[in-house]
Every structure is written in C-alpha cells, then in structure tokens.
Amino acid sequence: MVLNVIQHDLEAIKEAARIVREGGLVAFPTETVYGLAAHAFNEEAVCRLLEVKGRARGNPLTLHLASVGGVESLVEEIPEGARRLMERFWPGPLTIILKKSASVLPVVTAGLSTVGLRVPDHPVALDFIRFAGVPVVGTSANRAGRPSPTKAEHVIQDLKDLIDAVLDAGETRTGIESTVIDFSGEHPRILRPGVITRAEIEAVIKTPVEDARHSAPAREYPRYQPQCFLVYSRKPLRENSVRLQAFPPDRKILVVTLDRTLLFSGSQHIQKMVLENEDALAKHLFAILRDAEQKGFDIIVVDAIRREGKIGDALIYRIEKAAQEIWDGD
Ligand code: TXA
Ligand code: MG
C-alpha cells in the first residue's frame, strides 16, 4: 500500500504508525534515504524485517527516535561528547552508537552490547515515529546489497508485496545515508562517512575522532550494488578515456561525470550524464544506478570525484564499495 504524504497528510501518517505499532513493516522517508521501520520491541516484527531485507544476522540495525528525550532508557549512559553531538546535529544525518540498555532486543543489535540511534530530520519521519509511540528500527529500505532507496518507487522495486505500506514523500534530500559514529569505546570513531564530516564533529566535541570505517561491522557485506557492471575511475576520464574504448561496442555504457567538457569521439554506445556538483551527485547517485539498470545499460562508469568537497569522501566511499572495478592512474 502506497500512502501519499507529499502534502504531509496526517491521517496517512497515523495509519502507517498504527501498522508499525501492530507489528507491520512500513517504509518511510528521511532526509537521507528511505528507511524500513519495525516496532523495535517486537521481536517477531524485527525478524520479519531482517528476512524481507535479506539482512545478514551479523549486521546490526539502528533505532530511530522522534527526539533526544527517547535515548535515556535505551542506553547505559550518554557520554558528554555524544550529548553535545545530539544537541548540535539532531534532528539530522548522524547515527550515534552507545552502550545499550537491557531494553534493546539482541535481534536489533546483532547480539552486540551497543546500539545505534538517530533522530531523522524529516517532518514526515518525525510525525510517523511520534504517532507510533515507540522507537522504530529504521534500516535503509532496500534489499541487502542494493543501492539505498531515495524515492518510494525504489522501495517498491525491491520490497513490493513484502512490506505493509510505503509513505511516499517524494525524493529524499541528501541522498546518502547518515554518518555513523561510535561513542561506546574510549575514543570516538567514525564507522561510516556521511554528510556530517569528521572535521565538523571534532569542532563540536573538541577531541580527535578516529576514522575506523575499515573496522565497521558492515565492512564485510556487499553494498549499494546495481545489476549493471559498475566502474569507478579514480583518474579523471578526460585523461583516461582510452579505457572506455576498450569495452566491446555492443555494450551500452553510461558515463556519470561532473566534467561538462568531457567528450568521446565516435562512441555512439556511450551516453554521458553530467551533474552540477558533488552535492547533486550524492543526491542522485543511487537513483542513477537504479535508473541505468531499468534502462538496460550494461556498464556504468563514474568519473573521478574530488575528495576535498564536504561530501566527496562520503561519495567516494560508497562508489568504491559498489564498484566491481576501480581504474587507477595507469
Ligand atoms: O541515513 C541512515 O542512516 C539510513 C536512514 C534510513 O536513517 N539508515 C541506514 O541504516 O543507513 P542501515 O541499516 O542501512 O545502516 C546502518 C549502519 C550499518 O552499516 C550498520 O552496520 C551500522 O550502521 N551499525 C548499526 N548499529 C551498529 C552498532 N551497534 N555498531 C556498529 N555499527 C552499527
Ligand atoms: Mg543500508
């Protein structure tokens, strides 16, 4: 069932909240990507969510709350630095991992003693969670390993008939998922880069933050993969286009680039998509991967992205995870 809430229809949001409260699964918009919600204290509902998503049992889920007030009973303690981050960045694209209390089900956290928490910055998400009246598990609403959904239709592509409702509020704003920071150990560590950068976090908590993306629980699982063969060119394609010519001419190729001057001579089978800047690419990346798949492209080549921009690092992280092949300089 698709519930259109582009006009913020409160009755539809209440209906979705009722479904979740009664143990159903509902996809909902956030500012990052669409989430899939289940009642966090209903073990059967959480198990069904893991099942329909095809989520690995070793990969923990996060809890979504309507306000900071909900955190207290779910965790052992809130360290001062974490509290400051909540005040500064919530509602917003930051997932904070803390030591969990006994009230959080082991099935949510994959048996870990910690739990991830976030208050999303989207009016529909906040009303939905508020009306549900309970914390909701809120993992990205894609089949495991697929690109995250930034439109309701992406949720439907992956999960139609498997879930009970989709709250459709149009395209999401930032297009990539939240930054994940672990505050359960001695020093804070970033487990997944996102819109909020390490420098922004360090400026708030005034202590150094380790980049631990390579030791996150999610590292071993395939991520974000479209059905097309995906290549990331670390070297700008304008200097590396000979590699494109090496694909057989019967392959339909999509080149995704920020370089509007990029030209390929005599290559009818190569289509170019130019984006304005890194923010636009972040916003549309997952939709581009899914659209290319629908349009029958065989190969997608993403042109080099600068790491310097605010979002560059988070974008490269995702593209490199999704890519089957990475072209270095040679
Ligand atoms: O922006 C987002 O965070 C989106 C929207 C829907 O809120 N959600 C999202 O959820 O991306 P998911 O489940 O696709 O990603 C959560 C990430 C995973 O990489 C998971 O391994 C990590 O957070 N994570 C969750 N709990 C954790 C924990 N206790 N310790 C370490 N990593 C954890
Ligand atoms: Mg995900």
Side-chain angles (χ1 to χ4, degrees):
M1 170 172 53
V2 177
L3 298 166
N4 184 322
V5 287
I6 291 171
Q7 303 300 333
H8 203 103
D9 173 355
L10 278 181
E11 289 312 309
I13 299 172
K14 280 183 187 158
E15 168 70 1
R18 184 192 58 78
I19 293 172
V20 159
R21 218 170 32 243
E22 291 174 1
L25 302 180
V26 174
F28 67 106
T30 79
E31 80 280 32
T32 60
V33 302
Y34 274 78
L36 181 59
H39 186 321
F41 299 141
N42 181 329
E43 183 159 8
E44 207 177 305
V46 178
C47 287
R48 192 176 142 220
L49 178 147
L50 290 167
E51 191 80 12
V52 306
K53 175 155 173 163
R55 175 81 158 205
R57 291 285 169 148
N59 196 359
L61 301 166
T62 58
L63 299 183
H64 286 50
L65 310 169
S67 73
V68 180
V71 177
E72 212 89 15
S73 66
L74 301 170
V75 302
E76 249 177 36
E77 53 166 354
I78 309 177
E80 182 50 30
R83 195 179 289 279
R84 265 191 253 138
L85 292 179
M86 291 171 187
E87 278 163 15
R88 170 66 185 81
F89 294 113
W90 282 1
L94 184 68
T95 296
I96 302 178
I97 293 172
L98 299 174
K99 290 197 186 110
K100 79 174 195 72
S101 72
S103 67
V104 181
L105 295 172
V107 68
V108 171
T109 62
L112 296 177
S113 59
T114 56
V115 63
L117 304 148
R118 152 168 144 80
V119 177
D121 184 17
H122 194 295
V124 172
L126 292 175
D127 273 346
F128 166 62
I129 300 166
R130 211 172 284 132
F131 291 142
V134 291
V136 299
V137 162
T139 182
S140 58
N142 49 278
R143 284 279 301 168
R146 300 264 301 140
S148 297
T150 54
K151 296 179 186 175
E153 67 186 73
H154 301 158
V155 178
I156 293 161
Q157 280 166 9
D158 278 18
L159 299 174
K160 191 169 100 173
D161 302 334
L162 297 174
I163 63 177
D164 303 302
V166 181
L167 282 170
D168 181 357
E171 196 171 10
T172 60
R173 196 165 74 228
T174 66
I176 60 174
E177 313 84 350
S178 60
T179 305
V180 178
I181 183 160
D182 181 0
F183 248 95
S184 66
E186 213 163 307
H187 306 289
R189 311 181 312 148
I190 288 185
L191 298 183
R192 178 173 73 185
V195 183
I196 295 173
T197 63
R198 176 152 70 137
E200 286 175 293
I201 291 172
E202 286 176 339
V204 172
I205 61 176
K206 311 250 174 357
T207 41
V209 174
E210 188 194 336
D211 190 328
R213 66 182 76 177
H214 301 295
S215 55
R219 70 188 177 284
E220 55 200 274
Y221 306 108
R223 305 295 293 276
Y224 314 122
Q225 283 168 0
Q227 278 150 20
C228 320
F229 189 80
L230 180 69
V231 178
Y232 177 55
S233 179
R234 282 183 180 154
K235 183 175 176 180
L237 279 174
R238 58 161 65 223
E239 299 159 31
N240 212 10
S241 63
V242 29
R243 298 201 63 160
L244 276 177
Q245 317 295 341
F247 286 120
D250 63 338
R251 294 295 135 85
K252 226 175 128 189
I253 303 174
L254 178 69
V255 168
V256 181
T257 182
L258 303 178
D259 178 359
R260 55 185 63 254
T261 63
L262 188 64
L263 287 174
F264 320 108
S265 49
S267 308
Q268 306 302 330
H269 59 299
I270 303 179
Q271 199 169 309
K272 191 172 76 165
M273 174 180 268
V274 183
L275 287 115
E276 190 80 13
N277 52 34
E278 286 83 0
D279 285 342
L281 181 54
K283 177 163 177 160
H284 299 296
L285 175 71
F286 292 135
I288 291 169
L289 300 184
R290 284 177 180 266
D291 286 351
E293 182 179 290
Q294 300 273 314
K295 290 187 181 131
F297 282 94
D298 301 297
I299 300 163
I300 309 169
V301 181
V302 179
D303 199 355
I305 297 158
R306 292 177 315 127
R307 209 176 277 276
E308 299 88 68
K310 177 165 145 58
I311 208 151
D313 179 50
L315 203 45
I316 294 169
Y317 170 79
R318 286 162 177 79
I319 293 168
E320 292 202 345
K321 267 200 174 290
Q324 273 98 328
E325 199 169 290
I326 292 178
W327 291 348
D328 280 309
D330 44 288

